[in-house]
Amino acid sequence: MKVLYFAWLRQRTGTGEEELSLPDEVRDLGGLMRWLAARSPGHASAFADPAQVRMAVNQEFCGPEHPVKAGDEVAFFPPVTGG
């Protein structure tokens, strides 16, 4: 699985992209965020407030209940505002 981080999530995790193999218990985006948060202090900081993180799987916006699997591309980014 390819995981992409944008804006302040990239700054906090210290990387823009990771290739990961997920444990069997990670089945959806919410589980992935919890698993990632346990990886390092930077990841914990990035995912400290899940309500402030938007996500996409294979370039489609999704919610935390969306399933994930090997081969997916997952992107995490801050809320987008216009004006």
Side-chain angles (χ1 to χ4, degrees):
M1 167 180 293
K2 181 186 281 190
V3 178
L4 306 172
Y5 305 97
F6 294 94
W8 53 262
L9 289 122
R10 175 192 295 241
Q11 293 171 340
R12 292 180 186 178
T13 61
T15 188
E17 181 177 316
E18 296 183 280
E19 288 285 338
L20 301 170
S21 295
L22 301 181
D24 291 337
E25 64 268 15
V26 176
R27 297 190 175 131
D28 59 25
L29 284 170
L32 176 59
M33 285 197 301
R34 288 186 297 277
W35 182 75
L36 289 169
R39 295 188 69 223
S40 76
H43 285 81
S45 175
F47 296 106
D49 184 0
Q52 293 300 312
V53 178
R54 300 297 176 256
M55 55 206 99
V57 175
N58 301 322
Q59 301 182 5
E60 301 229 359
F61 290 109
C62 302
E65 69 289 339
H66 191 278
V68 293
K69 62 185 181 320
D72 282 343
E73 178 187 82
V74 176
F76 293 106
F77 45 92
V80 179
T81 60

